[in-house]
């Protein structure tokens, strides 16, 4: 992994097969957008300062995102064979190993935050409360359940927003706010960045739905057209392709407006937001 997500002690594992599978996952790190959001948010509020634990938060969130992908790919969930351009963990090893990898990454993420002495006790508690909520029953896990329940059904636009605010948006929001917490953000900062992150999280998912029908599996690094195959409602199926593109741009504009009070300091975070929505894979 790159220097965004190498904080803390390297992950240890005594079982050789599990250790090999863990290296297989960690060594294929992807775009690390959530980790980059943590650092961009922190640096916008604390330009030039030491990372003050922000790197640990970034690493933890990246591990949690990776765990979610490993589990999402399992046969009982999305049943996918390709992730980040490589065969999925359960296809290379087995289902039990993939489950254990996800379980271990989730535990390691919270251990990393709790053990970082650069973070005050208050910040550790705030980060753990924020991130655990983002990945729990009212966040990522709950959103995945809603998403699976909606397969084969025609979801409304509002239902889609609820699903993806939890499944995708909650961890993106936690990433941005984690950087803010590490930076001793004011209540006004938290409010602005909360709105920014919620909006950019939805825009990111709209862009993902667009890419699913406009790009191939090689470009995406995962199976293209999967939503259509399982008859899943998407922003494209609800709004049409052009309508989805307009929705993504509208949400992006709203998100960037939230950053306008920060002026030039917000440029790296703004550029990252644009890249998330206008990406080609």
């Amino acid at each position: 992994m790159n220097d965004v997500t190498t904080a803390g002690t390297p992950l240890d594992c005594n079982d050789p097969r599990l250790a090999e599978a863990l290296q297989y996952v960690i060594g294929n790190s992807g775009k690390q957008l959530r980790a980059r959001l943590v650092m961009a948010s922190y640096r916008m509020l604390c330009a030039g300062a030491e990372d003050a634990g922000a790197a640990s938060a970034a690493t933890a969130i990246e591990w949690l995102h990776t765990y979610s992908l490993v589990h999402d790919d399992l046969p009982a969930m999305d049943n996918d064979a390709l992730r980040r351009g490589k065969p999925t963990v359960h296809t290379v090893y087995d289902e039990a190993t993939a489950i254990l990898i996800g379980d271990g990454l989730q535990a390691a993420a919270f251990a990393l935050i709790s053990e970082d002495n650069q973070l005050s006790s208050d910040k550790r508690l705030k980060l753990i409360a924020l991130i655990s909520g983002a990945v729990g029953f009212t966040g990522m896990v709950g959103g995945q359940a809603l998403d699976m329940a909606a397969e084969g059904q025609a979801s409304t636009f509002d239902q889609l927003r609820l699903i993806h605010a939890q499944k995708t948006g909650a961890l993106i929001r936690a990433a941005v706010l984690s950087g803010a917490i590490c930076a001793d953000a004011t209540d006004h900062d938290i409010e602005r960045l909360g709105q920014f992150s919620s909006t950019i999280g939805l825009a990111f998912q709209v862009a993902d739905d667009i890419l699913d029908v406009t790009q191939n599996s090689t470009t995406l690094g995962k199976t293209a057209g999967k939503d259509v195959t399982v008859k899943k409602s998407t922003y494209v199926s609800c709004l049409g392709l052009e309508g989805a593109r307009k929705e993504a741009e509208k949400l992006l504009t709203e998100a960037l407006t939230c950053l306008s009070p920060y002026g030039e300091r917000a440029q790296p975070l703004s550029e990252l937001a644009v890249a998330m929505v206008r990406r080609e894979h």
Side-chain angles (χ1 to χ4, degrees):
M1 304 182 96
N2 66 28
D3 62 358
V4 172
T5 57
T6 53
T9 304
L11 291 168
D12 293 322
C13 181
N14 293 325
D15 179 78
R17 181 176 174 79
L18 195 60
E20 181 184 315
L22 179 59
Q23 184 54 48
Y24 180 82
V25 174
I26 296 298
N28 189 27
S29 57
K31 296 183 285 292
Q32 300 191 7
L33 291 173
R34 291 151 191 82
R36 291 161 63 191
L37 284 170
V38 176
M39 301 310 299
S41 172
Y42 173 80
R43 289 166 179 159
M44 183 182 75
L45 299 174
C46 284
E50 296 296 326
D51 77 44
S56 288
T59 302
I61 286 176
E62 195 60 35
W63 286 349
L64 287 166
H65 176 57
T66 300
Y67 124 69
S68 75
L69 299 181
V70 173
H71 279 194
D72 281 358
D73 291 335
L74 287 166
M77 304 280 271
D78 289 345
N79 192 23
D80 218 324
L82 186 67
R83 176 65 68 178
R84 292 173 173 171
K86 296 176 68 175
T88 49
V89 181
H90 72 274
T91 61
V92 175
Y93 296 92
D94 51 55
E95 291 181 42
T97 299
I99 292 169
L100 292 172
I101 288 292
D103 291 346
L105 283 171
Q106 181 174 204
F110 291 108
L112 182 61
I113 293 172
S114 68
E115 294 167 1
D116 191 332
N117 292 326
Q118 294 182 91
L119 294 164
S120 67
S121 296
D122 181 59
K123 285 183 180 178
R124 293 184 214 185
L125 288 173
K126 286 181 178 178
L127 288 169
I128 289 170
L130 170 69
I131 297 169
S132 62
V135 298
F137 292 120
T138 57
M140 185 177 69
V141 168
Q144 175 72 358
L146 290 171
D147 193 38
M148 290 190 299
E151 288 183 4
Q153 302 179 34
S155 299
T156 67
F157 182 75
D158 288 340
Q159 287 171 329
L160 273 183
R161 286 178 72 97
L162 173 62
I163 290 169
H164 295 302
Q166 293 187 34
K167 181 182 177 182
T168 304
L171 194 57
I172 288 175
R173 181 176 183 274
V176 174
L177 293 183
S178 290
I181 288 171
C182 292
D184 292 311
T186 67
D187 290 343
H188 289 304
D189 291 327
I190 294 293
E191 183 178 356
R192 288 190 196 106
L193 290 176
Q195 183 60 45
F196 161 77
S197 55
S198 295
T199 307
I200 203 63
L202 288 173
F204 178 81
Q205 182 60 52
V206 178
D208 206 56
D209 288 354
I210 293 168
L211 291 172
D212 189 65
V213 300
T214 59
Q215 299 287 6
N216 58 45
S217 298
T218 301
T219 301
L220 293 178
K222 60 182 181 180
T223 305
K226 193 72 181 291
D227 293 338
V228 175
T229 302
V230 299
K231 299 180 180 179
K232 184 180 293 186
S233 292
T234 66
Y235 289 100
V236 174
S237 66
C238 278
L239 303 174
L241 183 57
E242 288 308 310
R245 284 172 170 155
K246 289 179 181 178
E247 178 68 11
E249 287 297 320
K250 179 178 79 71
L251 289 167
L252 175 60
T253 299
E254 291 175 8
L256 295 178
T257 299
C258 296
L259 300 180
S260 59
Y262 299 102
E264 292 184 1
R265 288 186 295 151
Q267 184 175 347
L269 186 56
S270 297
E271 290 177 352
L272 181 53
V274 171
M276 289 171 65
V277 178
R278 295 177 181 169
R279 69 193 193 282
E280 295 184 358
H281 59 86

